Coordinates of all heavy atoms in Angstrom, one line a residue:
S333 N -37.8 36.4 -22.6 CA -38.8 36.9 -23.4 C -39.5 38.1 -22.8 O -39.9 39.0 -23.5 CB -39.9 35.8 -23.7 OG -39.3 34.8 -24.6
L334 N -39.6 38.1 -21.5 CA -40.3 39.2 -20.8 C -39.4 40.5 -21.1 O -40.0 41.5 -21.4 CB -40.4 39.0 -19.3 CG -41.5 38.1 -18.9 CD1 -41.4 37.7 -17.4 CD2 -42.9 38.8 -19.1
A335 N -38.1 40.4 -20.9 CA -37.3 41.5 -21.1 C -37.3 42.0 -22.6 O -37.4 43.2 -22.9 CB -35.8 41.2 -20.7
H336 N -37.3 41.0 -23.5 CA -37.3 41.3 -24.9 C -38.6 42.0 -25.3 O -38.6 43.1 -26.0 CB -37.2 40.0 -25.7 CG -37.3 40.2 -27.2 ND1 -36.3 40.8 -27.9 CD2 -38.2 39.8 -28.1 CE1 -36.6 40.8 -29.2 NE2 -37.8 40.2 -29.4
V337 N -39.7 41.5 -24.9 CA -41.0 42.1 -25.3 C -41.2 43.5 -24.7 O -41.9 44.3 -25.3 CB -42.2 41.1 -25.1 CG1 -42.7 41.1 -23.7 CG2 -43.3 41.4 -26.1
K338 N -40.7 43.6 -23.5 CA -40.8 45.0 -22.8 C -40.1 46.0 -23.7 O -40.5 47.1 -23.9 CB -40.3 45.0 -21.4 CG -41.2 44.4 -20.4 CD -40.6 44.5 -19.0 CE -41.3 43.5 -18.1 NZ -40.5 43.2 -16.8
M339 N -38.9 45.5 -24.1 CA -38.1 46.4 -25.0 C -38.8 46.7 -26.3 O -38.8 47.8 -26.8 CB -36.7 45.7 -25.2 CG -35.7 46.5 -26.1 SD -36.0 46.3 -27.8 CE -35.5 44.6 -28.1
L340 N -39.4 45.7 -26.9 CA -40.1 45.9 -28.2 C -41.2 47.0 -28.0 O -41.4 47.8 -28.9 CB -40.8 44.6 -28.7 CG -39.8 43.4 -29.1 CD1 -40.6 42.2 -29.6 CD2 -38.9 43.9 -30.3
G341 N -41.9 46.9 -26.9 CA -43.0 47.9 -26.6 C -42.4 49.3 -26.4 O -42.9 50.3 -27.0
K342 N -41.4 49.3 -25.6 CA -40.7 50.6 -25.2 C -40.2 51.3 -26.5 O -40.3 52.5 -26.6 CB -39.6 50.3 -24.2 CG -38.8 51.6 -23.8 CD -37.7 51.2 -22.9 CE -36.4 50.8 -23.5 NZ -35.6 51.8 -24.3
Q343 N -39.7 50.5 -27.4 CA -39.1 51.1 -28.6 C -40.1 51.4 -29.7 O -39.7 51.8 -30.8 CB -38.0 50.2 -29.1 CG -36.8 50.0 -28.2 CD -36.0 51.2 -28.0 OE1 -36.2 51.9 -27.0 NE2 -35.1 51.6 -28.9
G344 N -41.3 51.0 -29.4 CA -42.4 51.2 -30.4 C -42.2 50.2 -31.6 O -42.8 50.5 -32.7
I345 N -41.5 49.1 -31.4 CA -41.4 48.2 -32.5 C -42.7 47.4 -32.6 O -43.1 47.0 -33.7 CB -40.1 47.3 -32.2 CG1 -38.9 48.1 -32.2 CG2 -40.0 46.1 -33.3 CD1 -37.6 47.4 -31.7
I346 N -43.3 47.1 -31.5 CA -44.7 46.6 -31.5 C -45.5 47.5 -30.7 O -45.0 48.2 -29.8 CB -44.8 45.1 -31.1 CG1 -44.4 45.0 -29.6 CG2 -44.0 44.2 -31.9 CD1 -44.8 43.6 -29.0
P347 N -46.9 47.6 -30.9 CA -47.7 48.5 -30.1 C -47.6 48.1 -28.6 O -47.5 46.9 -28.2 CB -49.1 48.2 -30.6 CG -49.0 47.6 -31.9 CD -47.6 46.9 -31.9
S348 N -47.6 49.2 -27.7 CA -47.4 48.9 -26.3 C -48.5 48.0 -25.7 O -48.3 47.2 -24.8 CB -47.1 50.2 -25.5 OG -48.2 51.0 -25.7
Q349 N -49.7 48.1 -26.2 CA -50.8 47.2 -25.7 C -50.5 45.8 -26.0 O -50.7 44.9 -25.1 CB -52.2 47.4 -26.2 CG -52.8 48.7 -26.8 CD -52.2 49.3 -27.9 OE1 -51.1 49.9 -27.8 NE2 -52.9 49.3 -29.1
D350 N -49.9 45.5 -27.1 CA -49.5 44.1 -27.5 C -48.4 43.7 -26.5 O -48.5 42.5 -26.0 CB -49.0 44.0 -28.9 CG -50.2 44.3 -29.9 OD1 -51.3 44.3 -29.5 OD2 -49.9 44.4 -31.1
S351 N -47.4 44.5 -26.4 CA -46.3 44.2 -25.5 C -46.9 43.8 -24.1 O -46.5 42.8 -23.5 CB -45.3 45.3 -25.4 OG -44.5 45.3 -24.3
E352 N -47.8 44.7 -23.6 CA -48.3 44.5 -22.2 C -49.1 43.1 -22.2 O -49.0 42.4 -21.2 CB -49.2 45.6 -21.8 CG -48.4 46.8 -21.3 CD -49.1 48.2 -21.5 OE1 -50.4 48.2 -21.5 OE2 -48.4 49.2 -21.6
K353 N -49.9 42.9 -23.2 CA -50.6 41.6 -23.2 C -49.7 40.4 -23.2 O -50.0 39.4 -22.5 CB -51.5 41.6 -24.5 CG -52.6 40.5 -24.4 CD -53.7 40.8 -25.5 CE -54.7 39.6 -25.4 NZ -55.6 39.7 -26.5
I354 N -48.6 40.5 -24.0 CA -47.7 39.4 -24.0 C -47.0 39.2 -22.6 O -46.9 38.1 -22.2 CB -46.6 39.6 -25.1 CG1 -47.3 39.6 -26.5 CG2 -45.5 38.6 -25.0 CD1 -46.3 39.9 -27.7
V355 N -46.7 40.4 -22.0 CA -46.1 40.3 -20.7 C -47.0 39.6 -19.7 O -46.6 38.6 -19.0 CB -45.7 41.7 -20.2 CG1 -45.4 41.7 -18.6 CG2 -44.5 42.3 -20.9
E356 N -48.2 40.0 -19.7 CA -49.2 39.3 -18.8 C -49.3 37.8 -19.1 O -49.3 37.0 -18.3 CB -50.6 40.0 -19.0 CG -50.7 41.4 -18.4 CD -50.0 41.5 -17.1 OE1 -50.2 40.7 -16.2 OE2 -49.1 42.4 -17.0

Side-chain angles (χ1 to χ4, degrees):
S333 287
L334 280 168
H336 176 68
V337 80
K338 283 182 197 162
M339 181 278 290
L340 293 178
K342 176 182 87 68
Q343 296 297 95
I345 298 169
I346 65 170
S348 56
Q349 332 58 290
D350 292 351
S351 159
E352 280 153 26
K353 192 162 177 192
I354 294 174
V355 166
E356 288 321 306

